[in-house]
Amino acid sequence: MQNDDKIYISYNQVHKLTKEAVERYRINEIYKPDLMIAIGGGGFIPARILRTFLKRQSGQNIPIQAIGLSLYEDLVTSDPDIIGTQVIKTQWLQFGPSYTDICPLLGKNILIVDEVDDTRTTLAYAVQELLKDIEEEKLKFIETNSAGTPIPETKLAIFVLHNKKKEKRMELPDPSIVNEGRYFAAKETPDKWLVYPWEANDIDEHTTKSSLQENNE
Amino acid sequence: MQNDDKIYISYNQVHKLTKEAVERYRINEIYKPDLMIAIGGGGFIPARILRTFLKRQSGQNIPIQAIGLSLYEDLVTSDPDIIGTQVIKTQWLQFGPSYTDICPLLGKNILIVDEVDDTRTTLAYAVQELLKDIEEEKLKFIETNSAGTPIPETKLAIFVLHNKKKEKRMELPDPSIVNEGRYFAAKETPDKWLVYPWEANDIDEHTTKSSLQENNE
């Protein structure tokens, strides 16, 4: 069988990768997330699977908030060294009335979830925008608490199924995510085209290709 | 092998069910959705798969907005005939700045997506709350358009993987969804415990149970 330059990933592989990563990074024991933020649409499926394996001491599910980000790469530019990139928000956080907390992000361990870290542009944008929201919450906190009350510490982390080993176009605006070990990639992959199962037109054919590749590894 | 009273559903079954339902109901040809609203966390996975099979004439992806709803069933009540139910919003719509439209719901065909229609409580609540938002947008539309401009028609529809054949606790507040054929259930099931793959601890065991049940059908 001729192998093209794509990597086919089955649903069961995604499920196992997620489970193994939670155990390997000891996410429940060390990071202990309070909240997931799924970047749609790619982050929706990993986030839902993660919820099965992430456990809080209370026994309750980790809540998932969704944000919508789209990456537009504008390759038409007068300077060939500049690749214009733009991320647009199609949905942002809107905590429902069940959140009585006026600072729903502050003091939380927030796990940002996406399928793949390719150029890092989308993830960097998500972190940048969340940091702005957290800064706003800090101001609200200072306004509504007596002087000197310590501001609760908020810790961002990232979970992706795949991190492509390549030069990244952007750095994360919060370097502590990488430096303090809160960047969780279930798998490192070469810079190839990853075909996720949810994109498959014929899922049987896709699963067969995936298991052939797995057996050849 | 002793079959317990649960129905095990594999990822590939979910994927195929979704594809088949899109074709069977001719959703792309007849309903032509403009927007999906995924009820989290159960609706996230079907919505992402649906996006692969739903096509717009423009060739663009159907955008997915996420809402978070949790169903609390309070079984402790003085009257045994009354089962208290309450749905709470954990996240609601927040269209990002890429939506320049001040009425992002109005005139759209909006497909609400969830995994299962059990008692219909969550779906009825989602429809009720969306109808309120649409009413607000109608008022805005009337304010910002010249008198007599016809208000664009908004059509809600529902997609679920499974509809349990049972007496429903709630009716949908918009009867046209059912009456005009915009209620899309990929499969009708008996009132049994459905075990979705994303809930599985051991996905290999789960997939095996699912295919054994499929072969016995």
Side-chain angles (χ1 to χ4, degrees), chain B:
Chain B
M1 180 187 161
Q2 172 118 35
N3 248 338
D4 44 340
D5 221 33
K6 295 177 183 172
I7 302 176
Y8 294 90
I9 300 136
S10 71
Y11 280 113
N12 285 13
Q13 282 172 346
V14 167
H15 194 93
K16 287 180 203 174
L17 273 179
T18 305
K19 181 181 180 177
E20 286 163 10
V22 169
E23 291 166 1
R24 189 171 72 248
Y25 289 110
R26 304 187 66 221
I27 297 177
N28 285 318
E29 292 76 26
I30 300 172
Y31 178 59
K32 298 176 188 165
D34 299 300
L35 172 68
M36 276 187 269
I37 294 184
I39 302 179
F44 284 174
I45 293 185
R48 178 57 193 85
I49 298 172
L50 266 174
R51 210 175 69 177
T52 296
F53 297 110
L54 294 179
K55 299 289 169 200
R56 291 203 293 192
Q57 292 185 317
S58 66
Q60 287 188 306
N61 281 328
I62 312 266
I64 305 174
Q65 293 275 323
I67 58 177
L69 297 179
S70 284
L71 178 64
Y72 287 89
E73 308 213 357
D74 177 9
L75 298 163
V76 185
T77 165
S78 54
D79 181 343
D81 290 334
I82 296 172
I83 299 169
T85 57
Q86 197 190 4
V87 183
I88 60 160
K89 282 181 187 171
T90 56
Q91 178 171 25
W92 197 248
L93 296 172
Q94 170 72 290
F95 288 90
S98 67
Y99 284 85
T100 49
D101 197 339
I102 61 163
C103 299
L105 300 172
L106 208 64
K108 300 291 196 312
N109 289 346
I110 302 167
L111 185 58
I112 302 163
V113 181
D114 207 351
E115 61 195 334
V116 64
D117 180 356
D118 185 2
T119 62
R120 198 156 282 179
T121 308
T122 306
L123 286 167
Y125 182 80
V127 170
Q128 169 193 299
E129 295 302 302
L130 284 171
L131 289 176
K132 285 184 198 168
D133 284 11
I134 293 163
E135 281 308 308
E136 278 180 29
E137 290 195 2
K138 280 184 190 168
L139 295 177
K140 267 191 217 164
F141 183 89
I142 291 166
E143 275 171 27
T144 53
N145 283 273
S146 49
T149 311
I151 299 171
E153 195 188 3
T154 311
K155 284 187 182 167
L156 297 180
I158 285 174
F159 181 97
V160 290
L161 292 171
H162 295 97
N163 176 34
K164 289 189 183 177
K165 282 180 282 189
K166 63 193 284 185
E167 198 179 328
K168 302 297 184 184
R169 196 173 293 157
M170 302 277 277
E171 282 183 29
L172 297 175
D174 175 354
S176 78
I177 294 174
V178 170
N179 296 344
E180 298 177 9
R182 298 194 305 272
Y183 177 89
F184 312 119
K187 197 169 182 174
E188 304 278 329
T189 61
D191 187 13
K192 287 188 176 181
W193 187 343
L194 304 175
V195 189
Y196 288 102
W198 43 87
E199 298 162 5
N201 184 44
D202 182 333
I203 192 63
D204 287 331
E205 186 186 279
H206 178 95
T207 310
T208 304
K209 282 183 183 169
S210 165
S211 63
L212 283 171
Q213 285 183 337
E214 203 176 28
N215 293 335
N216 289 335
E217 262 179 13

Side-chain angles (χ1 to χ4, degrees), chain A residues 26-39:
Chain A
R26 305 187 67 221
I27 297 177
N28 284 318
E29 292 76 25
I30 299 173
Y31 178 60
K32 298 177 186 164
D34 299 301
L35 172 66
M36 273 186 272
I37 294 185
I39 303 178

Side-chain angles (χ1 to χ4, degrees), chain A residues 10 125 172:
Chain A
S10 71
Y125 182 81
L172 298 174

Side-chain angles (χ1 to χ4, degrees), chain A residues 68-135:
Chain A
L69 297 180
S70 284
L71 178 63
Y72 285 91
E73 310 214 357
D74 177 8
L75 297 164
V76 184
T77 166
S78 54
D79 181 344
D81 290 334
I82 296 171
I83 299 168
T85 57
Q86 199 191 4
V87 183
I88 60 161
K89 283 180 186 172
T90 57
Q91 178 170 26
W92 197 247
L93 297 171
Q94 172 70 291
F95 289 91
S98 67
Y99 284 85
T100 49
D101 197 337
I102 60 161
C103 299
L105 300 172
L106 209 63
K108 301 292 195 314
N109 289 345
I110 302 167
L111 185 58
I112 302 163
V113 181
D114 207 351
E115 61 195 334
V116 64
D117 180 354
D118 186 359
T119 62
R120 198 158 282 175
T121 309
T122 307
L123 286 167
Y125 182 81
V127 169
Q128 170 193 298
E129 295 302 302
L130 284 171
L131 289 176
K132 286 184 197 167
D133 284 12
I134 293 163
E135 282 307 306

